[in-house]
Amino acid sequence: MKFIPQSISDVVLIKPTIHGDNRGYFMETFRKDLFEDAIGYNVDFIQDNESKSTKGVLRGLHYQ
């Protein structure tokens, strides 16, 4: 993720890193530790991801 300060005070553009190929893409749209480092205070939301697969693609899910 990239955190890009804007011309308006305290406004930051958050640009996720998109990992993609011919099967689709995956991106981490939010991660608590990076967000807190960028804004300087704590939040209660942990992480959010997004993925899209093309037709016929089967992806594995990981449980932690």
Side-chain angles (χ1 to χ4, degrees), residues 3-4 9 13 17 23 26 45 59 63:
F3 296 87
I4 305 164
S9 178
L13 176 64
T17 302
R23 299 170 296 167
F26 175 86
F45 190 75
R59 293 191 183 259
Y63 178 77

Side-chain angles (χ1 to χ4, degrees), residues 5-61:
Q6 301 298 294
S7 59
I8 300 172
S9 178
D10 296 329
V11 173
V12 177
L13 176 64
I14 302 171
K15 293 185 80 169
T17 302
I18 301 171
H19 307 278
D21 57 22
N22 62 341
R23 299 170 296 167
Y25 69 85
F26 175 86
M27 68 178 163
E28 188 175 70
T29 57
F30 179 85
R31 199 168 103 195
K32 178 182 168 100
D33 60 336
L34 296 177
F35 188 72
E36 288 178 343
D37 288 346
I39 64 171
Y41 60 89
N42 296 333
V43 295
D44 289 326
F45 190 75
I46 303 297
Q47 185 173 346
D48 187 58
N49 303 318
E50 177 182 321
S51 67
K52 181 174 189 227
S53 298
T54 56
K55 185 176 180 179
V57 172
L58 177 64
R59 293 191 183 259
L61 298 175

